[in-house]
Amino acid sequence: MMRRWTFAQRVGAGVSACMLAGLLLLVTLLSVVHGLLTHTETTHVALRQALLAGCVGLAGVGALGFVLHHALAPLHARHEHSEQRLRLLMEAVTDYALCFLDPNGRVTAWNAGAERLTGWAEMDVTGGTLEPLHPEDAVAAGVHQAHLERAAREGRLLSEGWRVRRDGSRFWAETLLTALWDSRGHLRGFAEVTRDITERRRMERAQALFAEAGRVLQPLSGAREVGEALTRLCVPEVADACILFLPSADGQVRPQAVACADAQAASRMWEPLLRSPHGDEVGPHHVVCTGRVELLPEVDAERLPQALESTAHGELLRVLGVTSSLTVPLAVGPRVLGALCLLSTGARRYGQVDRAFMEELAARAALALDNARLLAETQGALELIGVAAHDLGNPLSSLQLRLRRLRMLDVTAHEPRMRDGLLGAESEARRMGRLLHNLLDLSRLSAGHMTLDREDMDLAALVREVAERHAEQATAAGCALTVRIHEDDTSGQWDRLRLDRVVTNLLSNALKFGHGQPIDLSVHGDATHVRVTVKDAGLGIAPGDQQRLFRRFERVHGEGHHHPGTGLGLYIAHQLVEAHGGSILLRSRIGEGAEFTIELPRTLQGRSCLPLQVSA
């Protein structure tokens, strides 16, 4: 199959044929002239031959011209049509900047989209380079030339970076630079397509900032920590300086946290910041009072608006040389907790998009501040509970001792009602003691202040001691209390006081819900663990309620039964056992009682300190 000739090959063949025909005609004419000059006998013959050759040559040239016309005219028309379509395409594309460059990087074509995007007209850039569209630091670093070399080497290059418009404003651009090669592999130039992706980049950075805000604005931090994290998050990402204002006890709005990209500017801003605002003057104080955003897209520090003259906020703008500012309220529902002030001292200008973005960020920060406040109040309440439980423990112990002594007197043998009353009072005092101890443990667990003091001890001896202490209570409840100790080694390193609390809570639960039924306590061990089992034959627990029982303040009542309690006993026991590195297993069925098994490792690695517990 013959290979199709290119346009250049066809033109070359036609020119060669024309040259050959011209040469033939030239030889013929020379022969005719030579015959006329010599006047030989063959003159007539030569003339006839020359005329014949000339006619043939003219016919060949005419035929060749006809062929070239019909062969080259469509190609020429197609070439003009392609150039026209390319021109129409470049004029029609207005959302993208499209331009062509020669091998040296000079502009040869510039479309309307490029003029609209950059502000540079075609006559201003044609014949020159694209360096005016790049920031000065990029030009000094030779970024544009490096991109051309890389595109020539790799064929194409996709890049992002700042571009400069004719008016000096900047936009974030995505650029596709493609090298153009001819059929012989020679570089003919470049095609560059550029689009403005400033808004897309802003949204991407906003999403990244929101993700970072979720990490740093921890609800377990205090108000000061939240404020410092918030201002550091905004500088220099969305502001050159950021100030968090919170209302104080005297009603004044004062700076709580400050972040500034320029250390020298930070030293100058404190004097206006510490000034107390007057009345309803514009600024953070007004934002906190009204809950409304204050946006100043353009600020001339030398000629401030009338509303900012002689105000603390106006003085701050003047001192820093602010060019744009945005102040948003930190609100939770109708309550305004503070105000976040963003200041720009450079080319950044705040608009409605920035306002919407910062309102969302401020809402998240307000929730973090409110959570920090609630956490501080909760910690205070828990500390109060712990102090109260500790202070009530001493008189309660004294009361229990006095009741026990009264019960042991001989006079009570002749007064059954007094004896029963003393037994009931002693039982209620023991129950109050368990409640106080549980509240004390709850406050320590929630504050993360409980530390286990381990010692070498025998768990079987502890279980016997707890059982003996509850013997009279078991008799009064009609429960036969049995303690079974296996011949295994039941010693280990644990916190005796905390495990006493665990066994006491489990046994008290068994006496409460297994009233009138036998209760079994058993202790056995293996090479690494010791297990304590408390089993009753009481009401039993439904499968759906078994995991819920180990949460704080959770209680389960059987049908038609109501038992007093706070729902803290099993929660405290579960937390203390886990602090020892152990676990509690519950097996129960409705009507068949419940069996709690504690599994404890014999040794602990290091000193265990319970973490803060916040989940219900």
Side-chain angles (χ1 to χ4, degrees):
M1 180 180 295
M2 293 184 62
R3 184 169 60 90
R4 292 184 60 185
W5 283 13
T6 63
F7 176 74
Q9 289 173 331
R10 292 182 183 182
V11 171
V15 171
S16 299
C18 288
M19 291 179 64
L20 180 61
L23 182 61
L24 181 61
L25 289 175
L26 180 62
V27 171
T28 302
L29 291 175
L30 289 175
S31 299
V32 172
V33 172
H34 181 269
L36 291 174
L37 293 175
T38 55
H39 300 285
T40 61
E41 296 178 354
T42 61
T43 301
H44 297 287
V45 176
L47 289 174
R48 284 197 298 269
Q49 292 177 349
L51 290 175
L52 180 61
C55 291
V56 172
L58 290 175
V61 171
L64 181 60
F66 180 78
V67 170
L68 287 176
H69 174 73
H70 282 275
L72 298 180
L75 294 178
H76 179 69
R78 190 183 308 169
H79 177 69
E80 287 187 344
H81 183 60
S82 298
E83 287 189 345
Q84 183 179 9
R85 285 193 300 174
L86 179 60
R87 185 169 59 255
L88 291 175
L89 175 63
M90 293 185 65
E91 292 176 356
V93 175
T94 58
D95 294 333
Y96 293 82
L98 176 61
C99 68
F100 289 94
L101 312 174
D102 64 14
N104 296 321
R106 299 187 178 278
V107 178
T108 59
W110 187 259
N111 78 329
E115 182 175 351
R116 183 192 63 82
L117 182 62
T118 66
W120 295 91
E122 182 177 6
M123 59 180 299
D124 297 325
V125 297
T126 302
T129 66
L130 293 180
E131 288 187 352
L133 274 69
H134 292 260
E136 293 182 359
D137 54 347
V139 173
V143 172
H144 181 59
Q145 186 62 34
H147 285 179
L148 293 175
E149 294 174 358
R150 184 176 173 184
R153 185 171 60 253
E154 300 178 3
R156 56 179 301 186
L157 175 64
L158 182 65
S159 63
E160 293 184 8
W162 288 109
R163 296 293 185 270
V164 182
R165 295 187 177 92
R166 187 169 188 173
D167 60 4
S169 62
R170 292 189 175 194
F171 65 97
W172 190 261
E174 180 184 68
T175 303
L176 177 61
L177 187 62
T178 305
L180 305 177
W181 304 85
D182 60 15
S183 59
R184 298 181 181 181
H186 296 157
L187 179 64
R188 302 305 301 268
F190 302 89
E192 183 174 288
V193 180
T194 304
R195 64 170 177 161
D196 184 357
I197 59 169
T198 304
E199 291 302 320
R200 191 188 77 179
R201 181 174 182 265
R202 180 177 295 179
M203 294 305 299
E204 291 174 351
R205 295 175 73 87
Q207 292 174 359
L209 191 60
F210 283 147
E212 182 69 9
R215 186 185 66 82
V216 301
L217 299 179
Q218 294 295 332
L220 299 184
S221 304
R224 180 173 296 276
E225 289 77 9
V226 171
E228 292 176 351
L230 178 61
T231 53
R232 286 196 305 268
L233 186 69
C234 294
V235 176
E237 187 67 28
V238 293
D240 298 310
C242 181
I243 309 151
L244 174 64
F245 291 88
L246 297 179
S248 58
D250 58 1
Q252 295 292 332
V253 177
R254 304 187 184 278
Q256 174 72 20
V258 178
C260 187
D262 186 352
Q264 294 183 352
S267 63
R268 298 194 307 268
M269 63 193 299
W270 277 108
E271 183 177 351
L273 277 178
L274 295 179
R275 284 178 52 186
S276 298
H278 302 287
D280 295 333
E281 68 178 38
V282 176
H285 183 272
H286 189 254
V287 172
V288 172
C289 294
T290 62
R292 297 177 182 175
V293 177
E294 287 187 358
L295 171 62
L296 297 175
E298 294 283 347
V299 177
D300 185 352
E302 300 300 326
R303 290 179 294 178
L304 293 174
Q306 184 65 31
L308 288 172
E309 288 292 341
S310 302
T311 65
H313 190 58
E315 182 63 23
L316 176 65
L317 301 183
R318 182 179 292 107
V319 166
L320 293 182
V322 172
T323 57
S324 184
S325 74
L326 173 64
T327 307
V328 294
L330 276 65
V332 178
R335 295 186 297 115
V336 180
L337 306 183
L340 186 66
C341 180
L342 304 178
L343 303 175
S344 171
T345 58
R348 182 188 289 113
R349 297 294 185 271
Y350 297 117
Q352 295 301 323
V353 174
D354 301 285
R355 171 177 178 168
F357 163 65
M358 289 308 303
E359 284 180 331
E360 176 65 23
L361 182 61
R364 300 189 183 193
L367 286 177
L369 283 173
D370 202 38
N371 288 338
R373 178 187 63 81
L374 293 175
L375 179 62
E377 293 178 358
T378 303
Q379 293 288 0
L382 289 172
E383 290 178 4
L384 177 61
I385 291 173
V387 171
H390 182 271
D391 291 344
L392 288 174
N394 292 330
L396 183 61
S397 298
S398 177
L399 175 61
Q400 288 177 325
L401 181 60
R402 291 176 182 274
L403 288 173
R404 189 175 298 111
R405 287 178 179 176
L406 285 174
R407 185 170 51 82
M408 297 300 293
L409 293 176
D410 293 338
V411 68
T412 59
H414 305 288
E415 297 288 345
R417 288 183 300 175
M418 182 179 293
R419 180 179 179 83
D420 292 341
L422 289 173
L423 285 173
E426 189 176 0
S427 175
E428 291 299 318
R430 282 197 301 270
R431 191 168 73 85
M432 188 180 297
R434 288 194 302 272
L435 173 60
L436 289 177
H437 287 309
N438 285 338
L439 290 176
L440 184 59
D441 286 341
L442 174 64
S443 66
R444 290 173 176 171
L445 284 168
S446 299
H449 295 156
M450 180 175 287
T451 301
L452 298 181
D453 298 319
R454 62 185 182 179
E455 60 179 290
D456 293 327
M457 57 171 289
D458 185 0
L459 192 56
L462 175 64
V463 171
R464 286 195 189 97
E465 180 183 330
V466 174
E468 291 173 1
R469 203 162 59 231
H470 288 77
E472 291 186 5
Q473 184 180 354
T475 301
C479 297
L481 187 57
T482 304
V483 179
R484 293 180 297 151
I485 306 297
H486 294 260
E487 296 182 356
D488 310 320
D489 179 19
T490 58
S491 62
Q493 292 183 336
W494 304 296
D495 187 320
R496 182 182 183 85
L497 180 62
R498 300 304 192 277
L499 290 188
D500 186 304
R501 196 98 72 237
V502 171
V503 179
T504 297
N505 284 344
L506 293 180
L507 182 55
S508 299
N509 254 27
L511 291 172
K512 183 193 304 182
F513 292 97
H515 191 84
Q517 301 296 328
I519 296 175
D520 293 330
L521 278 77
S522 64
V523 185
H524 65 281
D526 56 25
T528 58
H529 291 78
V530 179
R531 296 171 183 84
V532 178
T533 300
V534 181
K535 183 177 181 181
D536 66 72
L539 301 174
I541 305 169
D545 295 329
Q546 292 181 12
Q547 289 300 320
R548 186 166 60 87
L549 273 182
F550 293 105
R551 302 173 186 169
R552 69 172 72 179
F553 306 121
E554 290 287 348
R555 301 166 60 198
V556 177
H557 301 297
E559 186 176 352
H561 299 274
H562 178 79
H563 300 275
T566 60
L568 287 174
L570 290 179
Y571 168 76
I572 297 294
H574 182 262
Q575 295 296 321
L576 293 177
V577 169
E578 283 196 341
H580 282 83
S583 61
I584 293 184
L585 177 64
L586 169 60
R587 296 187 182 91
S588 180
R589 288 178 136 185
I590 294 295
E592 298 182 8
E595 178 182 291
F596 291 86
T597 300
I598 305 168
E599 183 178 75
L600 296 169
R602 292 183 182 274
T603 60
L604 290 172
Q605 299 297 324
R607 186 176 181 85
S608 177
C609 182
L610 296 182
L612 183 65
Q613 302 290 333
V614 294
S615 59

